[in-house]
Amino acid sequence: MLVCWCGSNIAGTVDINTVVEASKREPGVVYATDYQYMCAEGGQAMVRRAIEEHSLTGIVVSACSPRMHETTFRKAAAAAGLNPYMVEIANIREHCSWVHKDKEVGTEKAVVLMRAAIAKLNLNTPLFPGESGVIKRALVIGGGIAGIQTALDIADAGYEVDIVEKSPTIGGTMAQLDKTFPTLDCAACILTPKMVDAAQHDKITLYTYSEVDEVSGFVGNFSVKIRQKARCINSKLCNGCGDCIEKCPAKKAKSEFDEGLANRKAIYVPFAQAVPNVPVIDQTQCLKFKTGKCGLCEKVCLPKAINFEQQDEIIEKEYGVIIAATGFRPLSPERYGEYGYGQLPDVITSLEFERLMNAAGPTGGALLRRSNGEKPKSIVFIQCVGSRAEPDKGKSYCSKICCMYTAKHAMLVRDKYPNIDVSVFYIDVRTPGKNFDEFYRRAVEQYGVNYIKGMVGKIAEEDGRLRVQGSDLIEDTQIFVDADLVVLATAVEAQASARPLGTMLTASMDQNNFFSESHAKLRPVESPTAGIFLSGVCQGPKDIPETVAQAGAAAVKALGILSKDKLIGNPCIAGPDELLCNGCASCEKVCPYGAITYADKEINDHGHRTTRHVAEINEAICQGCGACTVTCPSGAMDLKGFTNRQIMAEVDAICR
Amino acid sequence: MQVKDQNFKPLVVSFCCNWCSYAGADLAGSSRLEYPAEVKIIRIPCSCRVDPLFVLRAFQRGADGVIINGCHPGDCHYTSGNYFTRRRMTLLFSMLDYLGIERERTRLEWVSAAEGARFAKVMNEFVGKLHEMGANKRLGDIRCKE
């Protein structure tokens, strides 16, 4: 029995000496001591020494959560020649000292938790994990800047990577942006070379206009079904000449890439630098699909690449690791009646503003009002639209990028059109980042942007202009600003597809549908599910530099698995007592992995040899959930590491 | 009216699945969110590992309440484990109710790894209710205490 102080983290609320002394009275305990920081090198050396000197057959460490240092102590035990699964942790920090203030109460509870761990350890048996192979290929889901960067980093290390992207091109949201803060690089100039790199890399395969349909398996051995949606174009034949697009008469569809501000044809490429440069036919708009007539594109296509009969194709592939990089969508501000978005054409979102400012956008880069096509004289930006809101009004979190991109927008407007007045309504201006605050101050000091601390309560149309009614919290007054254009800095929201994907990957999600990381500080790019990694905004709002950094980190973590030939499995798996098993097959039905099969086996039943139909576990497939153990009517199935007797012993120890 | 024992300390066994609620309880800890020390947590891989016998055993041994925590439906690390738990515990709890273990003494909750605050809130509520109800005498076997 080893009790950790964790400095004052545990020792502040738990009397360590009492726990040590109490443990000495427990059955099986031959040695008990304490140490300031058991996880530190000195503490671990002490663990090793204690095992060797006292010939311990098992240890209980009363310390922080096993999710924190279970592996650390298992390694220390193994170094001293003890089976690593003869280690139990009593969580007396997260579950005790940190949630209770009274020392007497904390100590009493710590003693109980320690007793439960000892009771369990007394029933532990050495366990030996199996090994499984690693498929040396990675799947990246999402082809934005995050997915592209992760894929490039993995591919550059020499491993195959597939990118699955649901839209017809890779590039993601970054491709829609005009300039990027804080250096005002043009987004396309820095993104498109990476898109081309990804497409041309001999280790990277792109599946655009594709979605993940099904995922099964486990770390090192995932099987994935990818649905490649029918483009109605043979990608191998298409040379990207664009004649088909020119001739297409159906031109009423809203361009997704231009946020609906411009129209596109029924056959289209989302934007000029799309990768791959292969068009796609929108079957909901195409006249051939709607009326059966037309087929102009087919007639003009010289390489005969158009194929109206093309069907969705299911591609089945296997991967060692999967990286989620599904990114985000800006929240739709239509729900906020006060801003009039959707009713007032001159109230637009920030992403729409990006398209309006972009030289390749619907207006060729001219900033024009949506209502009358005139140049605006005054623009109002509103920050925190849907961010930092009450739960019923929007997102509780800060979207992190809006302060900076609004400063960028304001600066770009003043730079291009010095006569336009620019005001920004803000709650707080948050600029924590390298060169961020300098950037924001330039907007205020150099470009004369008028920042108003306050919220906007109403926007109304008056004589062809917009009257913005808001509060000025510094002057403590109601103010009105007349504007020709209002830009809403809408919250970053997880993709609608993120949640179903999380379910498929059995990766945990948070309440906002962002992927949860395994540890908020120490494992920020790993999902708690082994072999699943997180890249970019799918884990939480972040800007481009952070996204790229995290994408690289996810790649490195993925490479840590891909570069191994064998993975050590989890030995805490189910196993039947063949003498008790009556072959009812109840367990087979509840196993989510199909790890249980039935076979005729020769059994030695107390000296009596017989053949019985009994359950058999595939140890490489079983993940150790324990569903079968509870289902088994005869009590034959048990789970190593969490046996019926062990859990009962813990219950008994707690209720003693 | 029944006079409440002010010194009554309910004994609560809280089963937490490793992936969601155990991590949620850890988060409650690292966020320093207080809840009653009467709650003792047992770590299990999945809420579906909780055998009805464990719950019965806890009551037999004198527990005043048992709460089982798992991942939200649809979020189970093992895909479907918590659905089994939901069905199984619905049956068990109603059977226990029939035996005189009131509904308020048993609870099934979904707590995600990100819901530390929710974990603390649920524990506070649950133990608060047990304080009102007093000790469980229906299934407890006093021989276990000797």
Side-chain angles (χ1 to χ4, degrees):
Chain A
M1 158 57 62
L2 305 148
V3 185
C4 178
W5 291 52
C6 196
S8 65
N9 280 313
I10 294 173
T13 339
V14 171
D15 183 54
I16 303 289
N17 200 33
T18 309
V19 179
V20 172
E21 289 308 314
S23 73
K24 288 179 181 165
R25 293 191 290 275
E26 291 300 308
V29 175
V30 293
Y31 175 69
T33 188
D34 57 278
Y35 193 71
Q36 277 276 352
Y37 290 99
M38 203 67 89
C39 60
E41 182 46 42
Q44 288 182 59
M46 201 182 88
V47 172
R48 290 194 296 270
R49 216 166 39 239
I51 295 170
E52 283 157 5
E53 281 175 14
H54 300 270
S55 311
L56 302 180
T57 53
I59 55 167
V60 168
V61 185
S62 292
C64 56
S65 171
R67 290 167 44 85
M68 195 78 195
H69 278 310
E70 189 170 55
T71 326
T72 313
F73 294 118
R74 279 183 177 167
K75 277 185 189 155
L82 189 65
N83 183 285
Y85 296 90
M86 297 306 287
V87 176
E88 285 297 328
I89 311 274
N91 185 346
I92 61 167
R93 192 178 77 174
E94 279 84 346
H95 292 184
C96 186
S97 70
W98 274 354
V99 286
H100 311 308
K101 289 214 175 88
D102 187 295
K103 195 155 183 172
E104 200 179 319
V105 168
T107 307
E108 207 175 300
K109 179 170 175 181
V111 168
V112 174
L113 295 179
M114 168 273 290
R115 272 204 315 239
I118 293 174
K120 187 181 179 199
L121 178 70
N122 278 332
L123 298 166
N124 276 22
T125 48
L127 299 177
F128 302 93
E131 285 182 343
S132 58
V134 180
I135 291 156
K136 308 255 174 188
R137 191 187 300 118
L139 172 65
V140 175
I141 303 170
I145 179 63
I148 292 172
Q149 186 64 49
T150 301
L152 282 172
D153 289 346
I154 295 175
D156 282 343
Y159 294 93
E160 278 181 50
V161 192
D162 292 355
I163 300 180
V164 170
E165 165 58 49
K166 68 172 189 282
S167 65
T169 173
I170 58 170
T173 312
M174 186 176 168
Q176 293 178 277
L177 304 181
D178 182 34
K179 302 285 189 291
T180 54
F181 63 78
T183 50
L184 299 183
D185 283 304
C186 137
C189 312
I190 54 177
L191 176 66
T192 49
K194 279 201 183 286
M195 291 162 63
V196 175
D197 282 353
Q200 290 180 346
H201 205 295
D202 60 355
K203 294 281 185 195
I204 298 180
T205 310
L206 298 182
Y207 293 102
T208 52
Y209 210 45
S210 301
E211 286 175 35
V212 172
D213 257 12
E214 217 178 286
V215 179
S216 60
F218 51 92
V219 56
N221 294 277
F222 291 107
S223 306
V224 179
K225 279 188 188 161
I226 299 164
R227 175 182 297 275
Q228 193 157 41
K229 292 175 279 185
R231 271 186 127 93
C232 299
I233 311 278
N234 184 332
S235 304
K236 291 200 181 79
L237 297 178
C238 173
N239 60 11
C241 68
D243 286 351
C244 51
I245 300 170
E246 205 166 294
K247 287 288 182 299
C248 176
K251 37 182 106 159
K252 291 265 172 60
K254 295 267 179 235
S255 160
E256 294 85 0
F257 185 74
D258 278 325
E259 291 294 305
L261 297 177
N263 288 349
R264 61 161 170 79
K265 301 282 185 76
I267 183 166
Y268 68 104
V269 287
F271 57 102
Q273 303 97 319
V275 172
N277 184 22
V278 175
V280 51
I281 293 179
D282 178 350
Q283 298 187 16
T284 63
Q285 299 292 329
C286 173
L287 295 173
K288 179 83 178 177
F289 282 97
K290 278 162 78 176
T291 65
K293 295 186 189 112
C294 188
L296 270 176
C297 51
E298 194 179 15
K299 286 180 196 119
V300 299
C301 181
L302 287 176
K304 301 274 172 253
I306 310 273
N307 174 9
F308 293 113
E309 312 289 308
Q310 201 176 62
Q311 297 292 318
D312 290 4
E313 198 187 331
I314 304 290
I315 299 155
E316 289 186 46
K317 279 183 108 166
E318 295 185 320
Y319 300 95
V321 290
I322 299 178
I323 298 101
T326 48
F328 76 104
R329 271 295 301 166
L331 172 137
S332 168
E334 257 169 65
R335 67 171 95 170
Y336 305 115
E338 62 267 38
Y339 302 131
Y341 179 84
Q343 267 101 53
L344 305 171
D346 291 323
V347 177
I348 62 172
T349 68
S350 298
L351 197 51
E352 290 167 354
F353 183 83
E354 293 278 350
R355 296 313 303 150
L356 286 182
M357 289 291 281
N358 192 297
T363 57
L367 185 57
L368 302 173
R369 301 182 69 193
R370 303 275 300 141
S371 56
N372 57 12
E374 285 174 14
K375 207 178 94 178
K377 295 188 192 70
S378 159
I379 303 181
V380 165
F381 289 88
I382 303 172
Q383 293 194 172
C384 289
V385 174
S387 303
R388 304 175 68 194
E390 298 290 321
D392 54 327
K393 288 284 280 176
K395 307 296 177 186
S396 58
Y397 52 84
C398 165
S399 293
K400 206 170 178 181
I401 54 174
C402 324
C403 287
M404 285 302 289
Y405 71 60
T406 299
K408 172 190 80 177
H409 289 163
M411 199 186 274
L412 290 173
V413 170
R414 295 282 293 169
D415 191 58
K416 204 164 172 182
Y417 311 101
N419 296 328
I420 297 182
D421 290 328
V422 175
S423 304
V424 177
F425 280 91
Y426 69 97
I427 303 179
D428 295 295
V429 175
R430 296 178 165 183
T431 55
K434 193 170 171 180
N435 295 323
F436 281 17
D437 204 60
E438 294 88 329
F439 183 84
Y440 153 68
R441 285 212 309 274
R442 260 175 76 199
V444 178
E445 290 159 13
Q446 187 182 337
Y447 288 95
V449 176
N450 177 29
Y451 270 77
I452 304 161
K453 186 175 175 73
M455 312 270 277
V456 168
K458 197 179 171 195
I459 299 174
E461 199 165 10
E462 224 174 86
D463 304 328
R465 300 193 80 193
L466 297 170
R467 191 128 227 257
V468 180
Q469 182 186 349
S471 53
D472 183 331
L473 294 177
I474 291 172
E475 300 291 330
D476 197 18
T477 127
Q478 283 284 309
I479 57 166
F480 291 90
V481 181
D482 287 324
D484 301 304
L485 194 64
V486 172
V487 183
L488 308 176
T490 46
V492 164
E493 187 176 46
Q495 288 279 6
S497 58
R499 187 102 213 169
L501 179 66
T503 304
M504 255 190 271
L505 298 173
T506 66
S508 310
M509 314 284 285
D510 69 14
Q511 61 272 40
N512 296 310
N513 292 339
F514 290 116
F515 283 85
S516 292
E517 58 282 0
S518 189
H519 188 281
K521 289 131 203 168
L522 301 177
R523 299 182 71 193
V525 298
E526 294 138 287
S527 162
T529 302
I532 309 287
F533 301 95
L534 313 174
S535 171
V537 185
C538 71
Q539 181 260 341
K542 42 183 81 63
D543 58 29
I544 295 168
E546 273 186 312
T547 295
V548 172
Q550 203 210 16
V556 171
K557 293 292 175 187
L559 286 167
I561 290 177
L562 290 175
S563 59
K564 288 195 178 83
D565 292 322
K566 291 272 177 213
L567 292 177
I568 303 294
N570 167 24
C572 298
I573 52 171
D577 180 339
E578 288 169 353
L579 284 178
L580 286 177
C581 178
N582 66 8
C584 71
S586 303
C587 54
E588 191 184 1
K589 291 186 201 105
V590 299
C591 179
Y593 303 100
I596 304 175
T597 48
Y598 275 78
D600 287 325
K601 272 198 176 171
E602 200 162 292
I603 310 276
N604 184 348
D605 190 352
H606 301 91
H608 171 64
R609 284 190 174 274
T610 169
T611 304
R612 279 195 209 147
H613 196 58
V614 293
E616 206 174 39
I617 301 278
N618 183 332
E619 297 192 351
I621 298 176
C622 175
Q623 298 293 301
C625 65
C628 52
T629 58
V630 184
T631 306
C632 179
S634 53
M637 197 63 90
D638 213 344
L639 185 65
K640 289 174 198 154
F642 295 94
T643 63
N644 291 327
R645 288 185 62 212
Q646 284 176 316
I647 300 174
M648 287 283 197
E650 284 182 89
V651 170
D652 290 357
I654 287 173
C655 298
R656 204 161 78 195
Chain B
M1 216 185 103
Q2 198 188 340
V3 183
K4 271 182 226 156
D5 178 3
Q6 293 298 322
N7 295 322
F8 169 60
K9 280 188 186 164
L11 182 56
V12 181
V13 177
S14 175
F15 290 98
C16 287
C17 82
N18 182 48
W19 303 95
C20 291
S21 19
Y22 196 91
D26 277 358
L27 183 61
S30 51
S31 314
R32 314 294 199 277
L33 302 168
E34 265 190 273
Y35 57 86
E38 287 84 349
V39 176
K40 312 285 193 304
I41 296 168
I42 295 180
R43 182 190 186 206
I44 40 169
C46 175
S47 59
C48 77
R49 179 67 188 93
V50 179
D51 197 304
L53 289 173
F54 303 160
V55 180
L56 290 169
R57 177 79 153 214
F59 284 119
Q60 183 208 17
R61 296 274 157 158
D64 299 299
V66 175
I67 179 165
I68 295 153
N69 308 279
C71 306
H72 285 269
D75 289 353
C76 177
H77 180 77
Y78 304 101
T79 327
S80 54
N82 51 2
Y83 295 134
F84 295 130
T85 315
R86 184 163 62 183
R87 286 190 171 199
R88 195 175 283 145
M89 292 307 149
T90 308
L91 283 173
L92 176 68
F93 293 170
S94 64
M95 189 194 87
L96 284 171
D97 190 36
Y98 180 73
L99 294 178
I101 306 277
E102 303 91 323
R103 275 296 166 95
E104 290 84 358
R105 295 191 187 277
T106 48
R107 191 158 164 180
L108 180 60
E109 273 295 339
W110 313 127
V111 180
S112 84
E115 293 176 324
R118 190 175 139 70
F119 183 84
K121 180 170 162 268
V122 167
M123 293 307 141
N124 278 311
E125 269 174 26
F126 188 59
V127 177
K129 188 74 202 169
L130 292 175
H131 265 287
E132 283 172 29
M133 295 171 70
N136 160 45
K137 297 219 168 75
R138 287 311 287 260
L139 222 57
D141 184 342
I142 53 165
R143 288 172 301 179
C144 301
K145 292 281 174 194
E146 282 161 6

